Amino acid sequence: MEHFDTAQLIALAAVLGFASGIRLYAVLLIVGLVGYAGWVDLPAGLEVLSHPWVLGAAGFMFVVEFIADKVPAVDSLWDALHTFIRIPAGAALAAGVFGFGAGDPVWTTMAAVLGGSLAATSHLTKTGTRAAVNTSPEPFSNMFVSVAEDVFVGGLLALVLAYPLVAFGIVLVLVLIGLWLLPKLFRFIARVLRRLLGSLAADEGQPR
């Protein structure tokens, strides 16, 4: 079984936090299945993910999210609701890498802050990107982006389990891109909303 040293554990915590902001239930399911199959010696704080009941719940929610994320507008509503779930879950998963209360409280706290921050960055970037994509009248771009996210998260998790430091480097690059992209995304969405509200106001002001 694969074991992690301290640097690799930091990388694992970062990647789990970042990936949780995009596909939380895929992260829970994949990590749990890997631990259940014995391919990787999961840190003690993550072993609960390999319990059959947890795997069942994660699998069910994975299917629900997989479907919801392919439907325009529904995906944005799903993302909005999960603002209150993905970010704390990303923090909890990252903290679990270092054992929660059973581990060193300093490492656990730093991991939680790191995981929550990365989950927030990836979640907000995903949410803004999908909202921008949803301004397109055809549904295929939405589905393409959703499938790309599925493949990306699966690939990133496979990479972090085999080459943690490489996956960590990729996440750092993506975080920098996300921080650069976020203001542009939200300015674009704000312009679309202003146009939409202006159009609605003009329609209401016309005589019937």
Side-chain angles (χ1 to χ4, degrees):
M1 285 192 291
E2 186 76 27
H3 294 269
F4 298 94
D5 59 27
T6 301
Q8 292 172 331
L9 286 174
I10 294 171
L12 179 62
V15 171
L16 291 184
F18 183 85
S20 294
I22 304 171
R23 285 285 190 278
L24 171 60
Y25 304 112
V27 173
L28 298 177
L29 181 61
I30 293 171
V31 174
L33 286 173
V34 166
Y36 183 80
W39 295 338
V40 171
D41 187 14
L42 293 179
L46 299 180
E47 287 177 352
V48 66
L49 299 180
S50 60
H51 189 282
W53 284 103
V54 177
L55 283 173
F60 173 76
M61 290 305 299
F62 168 77
V63 172
V64 173
E65 181 168 69
F66 183 86
I67 296 170
D69 202 70
K70 303 295 182 291
V71 182
V74 173
D75 65 324
S76 291
L77 177 61
W78 183 267
D79 285 339
L81 292 173
H82 276 74
T83 300
F84 307 101
I85 300 174
R86 289 175 183 156
I87 297 172
L93 281 170
V97 171
F98 290 93
F100 286 113
D104 185 322
V106 175
W107 279 103
T108 303
T109 302
M110 288 193 303
V113 172
L114 174 67
S117 300
L118 291 175
T121 301
S122 60
H123 168 72
L124 292 174
T125 304
K126 167 191 164 58
T127 302
T129 301
R130 298 303 291 276
V133 169
N134 281 336
T135 61
S136 173
E138 45 77 28
F140 302 107
S141 55
N142 176 284
M143 189 170 295
F144 174 80
V145 172
S146 179
V147 171
E149 290 172 357
D150 294 329
V151 174
F152 169 73
V153 168
L156 187 63
L157 291 176
L159 187 63
V160 76
L161 295 174
Y163 304 101
L165 298 182
V166 174
F168 182 57
I170 291 172
V171 164
L172 289 181
V173 172
L174 291 175
V175 167
L176 292 176
I177 293 173
L179 293 175
W180 172 79
L181 189 60
L182 271 173
K184 295 174 174 56
L185 284 172
F186 285 111
R187 282 198 297 269
F188 172 76
I189 294 168
R191 284 199 301 271
V192 171
L193 288 175
R194 281 197 298 269
R195 259 190 235 117
L196 179 61
L197 292 174
S199 176
L200 290 174
D203 289 342
E204 289 179 358
Q206 291 179 354
R208 300 182 183 278

